Amino acid sequence: MSFTNINYNENHYKLIWTSGELEGLYIDFKYQEIGYRENEPERIEFRKLQIIKYLLEHSTEYITGTQINLTEELNSIDLPKSISSIKASILKALNPVFDKDKASDLYNLIIDKHRINGQMGYKLLTSDAVLSNVDEAENYQIVASIDTYADKSDNSYAEESFSYIQKNWFMLFIFSYIILMILFILKANDISFGELFMHLVTLPLKTSLLICLLGGMIPVFAGLIIDTPYALIAKHIKTGKKADISEYYHIVTHEEERFDLSKQHISFFAICNLTGAITTATIILFVKKIPDFDTYITKSSMNTPLAVISFAAIFVALYNNYMLQTKHVPIRNNHNYILSRAHAFFNFFWLTFSISVSCGLLFAFLLFRISSSYATPDSLDSSFLIMILAAYSYLWFSADSPLAGDIDSISKDNFISGAPVLAFFSILYTILCFDMSMTCILSFIINVLVLIVWYIVMKKRKSIGVIRFITSFFSVVAVFVILMLVLNL
């Protein structure tokens, strides 16, 4: 059955050529891949995929002109440039099987170029292609084949947990050993968690900043300088052949499944960790400027809360890793999150450090502010503004940035779920802890602007029920904030 007899909709996920010279070629809209028969598929960017969808919906006509609008998010696309980019992706998928000239000839059987009234027009040729539907049963089979779930029984969570432990048992043992060794060293030297935080706060600013930046970037470097050579060495041991440099990407990303070497993934990974590092660094800078704060956190009463927060951070980092590996919706290069990969191993420690330091210091300052034994600052420092801007940047970039769309980020709910929580607590923090000042007003303005952006994102996603609930919730919060401001003034 040809495409012309099917109405395209979002339930179709794969365009497959079932006859002719292209038999066996497919474009997968759900998992963002172009593949040919049993060969390893190639990644296709979200933007390119949307253009193919657009051509698919208009397969009976030529699309002419230079600029086209796909969606509100992907508007004013340079069509000729984009078509050329799509060609490169298709040729990459065909080149392992066909030589360059043959692959180029086959590409011409997919997208036809034709000049119409002086303008170049493009049409997707679908006479030998069919669209595959995803129904509930088929979708479950996909999940089952990837996640090795036998059925949808009540034991699914136990099976997920067992599968996770199977993949990571050795690394979980190493983590447990490292944590026990750290606790033993602290106990043997009579060092409290408060003293650990105190040493971090009293370090020179440049040293603190360097620790945060290196902590955020080490996972990226680990992927490039540990996982990549490891994959190439493993391939060489298996085959006894030295890999050509043109095959490195395919071996590391697909065959050995060690690290996604696509520039989109590396850029996304680096920028996410960088914005997280800046957030942590500015929190340290914020508390550094507070007199006697380093003395306060070494009090015996602070040891237990800081220890609890640190262990909670370990749990959150592990739970985050667990959720990534047991998602029911298959994701590209799921191996990126297995803890035996060097970049995932170091990223676990970075997440633990970042979460424990950020939450621990902010919680300690809140108690410090409430304490009557210390003279606390009345004005909000400008580093607080940098901190919330960096935190919002991380939430937005990891969820709704163009790069997040290109790699089909698994952090799609970060901005939607995180932005209102951060806004609420930062406004509350500002009101409870500081006298009104220009910095406080700027903090309110930043939070309000971000909430407007958040609301727009919600509307684009058409989450009407959530919008109504959140609107009601924040109406109550707004009244509460106004009352607090009036009382504070």
Side-chain angles (χ1 to χ4, degrees):
M1 181 168 59
S2 69
F3 169 71
T4 52
N5 297 323
I6 306 173
N7 292 321
Y8 174 77
N9 59 63
E10 292 300 324
N11 291 324
H12 297 126
Y13 83 99
K14 191 180 282 189
L15 181 65
I16 308 171
W17 275 259
T18 57
S19 59
E21 291 188 78
L22 286 169
E23 182 181 352
L25 179 76
Y26 65 87
I27 299 173
D28 194 318
F29 298 115
K30 187 171 183 180
Y31 302 124
Q32 296 183 222
E33 293 175 338
I34 297 177
Y36 182 76
R37 297 185 177 178
E38 300 303 319
N39 295 288
E40 195 68 38
E42 290 293 332
R43 176 74 168 172
I44 182 167
E45 296 172 14
F46 177 73
R47 185 183 297 265
K48 297 178 187 177
L49 202 63
Q50 293 299 99
I51 293 168
I52 294 174
K53 278 188 177 181
Y54 183 87
L55 293 174
L56 193 55
E57 291 168 338
H58 300 83
S59 62
T60 57
E61 59 186 287
Y62 281 93
I63 306 301
T64 60
T66 302
Q67 303 291 326
I68 61 169
N69 292 325
L70 300 179
T71 63
E72 291 182 24
E73 296 87 357
L74 297 176
N75 52 23
S76 193
I77 300 295
D78 186 332
L79 188 58
K81 185 177 179 181
S82 298
I83 292 292
S84 176
S85 182
I86 290 169
K87 179 177 182 178
S89 295
I90 294 175
L91 293 185
K92 198 171 182 181
L94 292 171
N95 274 340
V97 184
F98 302 101
D99 61 39
K100 189 174 181 180
D101 292 336
K102 178 63 174 176
S104 185
D105 290 340
L106 291 174
Y107 166 82
N108 294 329
L109 300 176
I110 300 171
I111 296 180
D112 183 44
K113 284 199 305 184
H114 191 74
R115 189 168 292 279
I116 301 169
N117 297 326
Q119 290 187 317
M120 190 60 72
Y122 305 90
K123 182 168 73 170
L124 192 70
L125 301 175
T126 58
S127 57
D128 295 322
V130 298
L131 274 169
S132 174
N133 291 328
V134 174
D135 57 24
E136 192 170 328
E138 185 178 357
N139 187 54
Y140 175 69
Q141 289 172 2
I142 295 167
V143 174
S145 65
I146 294 180
D147 289 335
T148 64
Y149 296 145
D151 53 40
K152 292 185 177 179
S153 65
D154 294 335
N155 295 323
S156 60
Y157 288 110
E159 290 171 5
E160 288 176 4
S161 301
F162 180 72
S163 173
Y164 177 77
I165 293 170
Q166 269 189 320
K167 291 178 184 176
N168 300 286
W169 71 269
F170 182 71
M171 300 315 298
L172 291 173
F173 170 77
I174 295 296
F175 288 150
S176 302
Y177 179 78
I178 291 172
I179 291 166
L180 288 173
M181 285 299 297
I182 291 173
L183 290 174
F184 176 77
I185 293 169
L186 292 177
K187 185 68 176 178
N189 293 277
D190 199 24
I191 300 173
S192 67
F193 276 87
E195 288 175 308
L196 285 179
F197 279 79
M198 181 269 291
H199 288 308
L200 183 63
V201 172
T202 54
L203 283 173
L205 179 59
K206 289 182 180 178
T207 305
S208 300
L209 181 62
L210 185 61
I211 289 173
C212 292
L213 292 178
L214 281 178
M217 290 298 102
I218 281 175
V220 184
F221 296 146
L224 294 171
I225 65 178
I226 298 178
D227 286 316
T228 298
Y230 181 92
L232 297 174
I233 292 169
K235 176 67 175 178
H236 176 69
I237 292 172
K238 287 178 184 177
T239 62
K241 298 178 181 178
K242 187 177 180 181
D244 186 84
I245 192 168
S246 62
E247 300 174 342
Y248 285 5
Y249 176 90
H250 182 76
I251 292 170
V252 176
T253 305
H254 298 297
E255 287 191 29
E256 297 300 319
E257 296 188 334
R258 295 297 304 184
F259 186 63
D260 186 345
L261 283 174
S262 67
K263 63 181 180 181
Q264 292 89 351
H265 173 261
I266 294 172
S267 301
F268 179 81
F269 193 8
I271 296 173
C272 281
N273 279 19
L274 185 62
T275 50
I278 293 171
T279 304
T280 305
T282 48
I283 290 173
I284 296 173
L285 173 62
F286 176 67
V287 297
K288 267 181 178 290
K289 297 183 177 182
I290 300 168
D292 298 324
F293 181 75
D294 54 340
T295 305
Y296 176 78
I297 57 177
T298 57
K299 290 178 61 176
S300 58
S301 60
M302 286 302 301
N303 188 53
T304 301
L306 292 175
V308 169
I309 288 172
S310 298
F311 282 108
I314 295 173
F315 172 78
V316 169
L318 276 176
Y319 184 72
N320 176 69
N321 186 268
Y322 169 81
M323 292 301 293
L324 293 178
Q325 290 187 46
T326 57
K327 286 179 76 71
H328 282 247
V329 179
I331 53 178
R332 177 168 173 83
N333 291 337
N334 193 45
H335 56 269
N336 274 323
Y337 310 105
I338 298 175
L339 292 171
S340 58
R341 279 37 175 175
H343 63 281
F345 178 85
F346 285 105
N347 203 52
F348 165 80
F349 284 105
W350 160 244
L351 278 177
T352 301
F353 172 82
S354 180
I355 294 169
S356 59
V357 168
S358 301
C359 295
L361 290 179
L362 288 175
F363 179 75
F365 174 74
L366 188 61
L367 296 182
F368 177 76
R369 178 67 177 169
I370 295 171
S371 173
S372 58
S373 304
Y374 294 86
T376 57
D378 294 324
S379 60
L380 180 65
D381 190 79
S382 58
S383 57
F384 186 81
L385 302 181
I386 301 173
M387 183 265 291
I388 59 174
L389 281 171
Y392 280 131
S393 298
Y394 167 76
L395 292 173
W396 175 82
F397 185 85
S398 63
D400 289 279
S401 65
L403 266 179
D406 284 344
I407 71 164
D408 191 23
S409 168
I410 44 79
S411 308
K412 289 178 180 177
D413 294 328
N414 272 7
F415 187 69
I416 291 298
S417 59
V421 174
L422 178 59
F424 175 72
F425 282 105
S426 59
I427 290 172
L428 193 62
Y429 204 82
T430 303
I431 293 170
L432 291 178
C433 297
F434 300 99
D435 292 337
M436 192 53 54
S437 64
M438 181 54 69
T439 310
C440 291
I441 294 171
L442 287 173
S443 173
F444 297 146
I445 291 172
I446 290 170
N447 282 300
V448 169
L449 290 176
V450 168
L451 286 176
I452 292 172
V453 173
W454 173 86
Y455 194 84
I456 292 170
V457 171
M458 287 289 290
K459 286 195 71 175
K460 282 186 177 180
R461 294 192 185 185
K462 299 178 180 178
S463 305
I464 303 300
V466 179
I467 290 174
R468 287 175 180 170
F469 171 77
I470 297 295
T471 302
S472 303
F473 173 75
F474 275 99
S475 297
V476 175
V477 172
V479 173
F480 172 75
V481 169
I482 292 169
L483 286 173
M484 291 294 290
L485 281 171
V486 171
L487 292 172
N488 201 41
L489 291 171

